[in-house]
Amino acid sequence: MTWNPVRGMHRRIEQWVTTRVQRLPGPVTIRRQRIYILPTRQGVVFGVMTFALLLGSMNYSNSLGFALTFLLAGLGLVCMHHTHGNLVNLQVSARGATPVFAGDTLRFVVVLHNASRRPRHVVGTGLRQGEWPDHWVDVPAGSEVATGLDVAASHRGRIPAPRFAVSTRFPLGLFYAWTWVELDQSAVAYPKPSGAPLPDSLEGDDGAEHSSPRVGNDDFAGVRDYHRGDALSAIHWKVTARTGDLMVKQFAQASRDEVVLHFDRLTDPDPEQRLSQLARWALDATARGLSWSMVLPDQHIPAGSGPDHCARCLTALALFQSDPRPTAST
């Protein structure tokens, strides 16, 4: 393996810098004293060539060579100044993340806000300093742009956002400027659905059962006396006109079974497999349009239906007896 002095210098500086980074809620303003800059590989080659040109000009007393050398050196200094200034006073804030299932890629949304009157070009966010980030954006003057951090959710539970680098190589790629930011945000990774699908007939001995039917308001079921608080739209005006008393229409929904998902009634000895099975059934019940509840050892989630109810139950499964775990792998 060949030794790369630039990469080794980057690694030593990274170890020193990360000890100074604090986890903050945001927005975080990138100050001048927290921006670090080093030449890239192309910048090192550019510097060596400029120095070689200087030696050749001195050896041959070539005025045009001196002029070209000083021009290139000045160009390098101006490039270094603009690369460093491309990050100064840029604000970084968190915008949350959409929950995913364990094993999928979780994306934390990061917003870059540019309050200055000049645009910021080619600004990237990445988990590793020194490498080309996955996402590069241009931030216009006086506006903000959303970018992201892609993190592998290796386990279920609450996953904290990792420390990341905000970097740039603008304008010529001769220098690499970066700073470390750690925003106080987290996201939820649901258990990965697995196991058998939700059976059509539930007997209650496999973790799921039917409960009593519920009443709703789909079919007309008669009238009743008006009670204070009833909606005016529910008044049956024809019957009211005939009897002289306020009467309210009453509806009854065609009864259907509610499914109850039990954690303790599953026979698998591995709790993680039980959670994955319940996650599978939660998705199946939602897809079928069923009304269902969930019973966990530490809580009971009442019956409901729809995507919001499913997300609530999946979140409960994700956070069930979750212990502090390492940050998600990249």
Side-chain angles (χ1 to χ4, degrees):
M1 181 177 179
T2 59
W3 178 67
N4 188 328
V6 176
R7 187 178 298 273
M9 187 182 303
H10 281 178
R11 188 177 299 110
R12 287 192 295 270
I13 292 178
E14 177 182 350
Q15 294 174 353
W16 174 75
V17 169
T18 52
T19 60
R20 307 176 61 194
V21 179
Q22 297 179 350
R23 193 173 182 85
L24 300 173
V28 176
T29 302
I30 302 176
R31 300 301 181 186
R32 186 178 301 274
Q33 60 271 20
R34 286 301 179 91
I35 300 176
Y36 309 94
I37 186 168
L38 285 174
T40 61
R41 182 178 303 177
Q42 294 82 0
V44 172
V45 173
F46 178 84
V48 171
M49 292 181 59
T50 303
F51 183 70
L53 184 60
L54 175 63
L55 293 180
S57 301
M58 294 173 61
N59 185 52
Y60 293 101
S61 299
N62 191 320
S63 300
L64 292 179
F66 279 117
L68 181 59
T69 300
F70 296 148
L71 176 62
L72 294 177
L75 178 64
L77 292 176
V78 172
C79 177
M80 180 176 63
H81 172 75
H82 281 280
T83 303
H84 186 273
N86 200 40
L87 297 180
V88 175
N89 293 330
L90 197 65
Q91 287 186 347
V92 186
S93 58
R95 195 61 65 85
T98 302
V100 298
F101 293 98
D104 295 338
T105 299
L106 179 66
R107 186 173 192 186
F108 290 95
V109 179
V110 177
V111 177
L112 304 177
H113 179 72
N114 178 21
S116 66
R117 292 182 292 180
R118 62 183 180 87
R120 311 298 179 92
H121 299 286
V122 198
V123 179
T125 55
L127 299 176
R128 291 186 177 89
Q129 174 265 331
E131 298 183 358
W132 286 93
D134 297 331
H135 307 286
W136 294 94
V137 294
D138 294 331
V139 189
S143 63
E144 62 182 28
V145 173
T147 181
L149 296 171
D150 294 331
V151 177
S154 60
H155 59 80
R156 70 171 178 90
R158 192 171 298 280
I159 300 179
R163 179 189 301 118
F164 62 96
V166 181
S167 61
T168 184
R169 299 177 186 232
F170 178 81
L172 298 180
L174 300 180
F175 292 90
Y176 172 78
W178 80 98
T179 187
W180 285 105
V181 179
E182 189 169 4
L183 297 174
D184 189 12
Q185 63 171 332
S186 61
V188 174
Y190 301 144
K192 185 176 182 179
S194 65
L198 184 67
D200 294 330
S201 61
L202 305 176
E203 302 299 334
D205 57 350
D206 54 358
E209 65 178 6
H210 287 301
S211 67
S212 59
R214 64 188 179 94
V215 176
N217 51 357
D218 284 344
D219 302 324
F220 181 76
V223 295
R224 61 172 174 83
D225 293 334
Y226 175 84
H227 299 292
R228 185 175 182 180
D230 289 336
L232 293 178
S233 59
I235 297 177
H236 200 305
W237 295 106
K238 290 184 179 180
V239 177
T240 299
R242 186 171 62 248
T243 62
D245 297 325
L246 283 176
M247 305 298 293
V248 176
K249 291 178 287 187
Q250 194 171 14
F251 298 88
Q253 184 182 24
S255 63
R256 63 177 181 177
D257 291 338
E258 290 177 352
V259 178
V260 182
L261 307 180
H262 289 272
F263 177 88
D264 290 332
R265 294 187 182 180
L266 292 172
T267 58
D268 197 305
D270 186 3
E272 295 299 326
Q273 290 300 323
R274 296 191 188 187
L275 296 175
S276 296
Q277 180 66 80
L278 291 176
R280 171 69 184 274
W281 285 347
L283 296 177
D284 291 344
T286 303
R288 297 182 191 178
L290 301 177
S291 175
W292 51 281
S293 61
M294 182 174 291
V295 180
L296 300 176
D298 57 350
Q299 63 176 311
H300 173 265
I301 302 177
S305 61
D308 293 339
H309 179 66
C310 182
R312 179 185 176 189
C313 293
L314 290 176
T315 301
L317 294 176
L319 303 180
F320 174 70
Q321 295 181 354
S322 60
D323 298 326
R325 305 190 185 192
T327 304
S329 59
T330 59

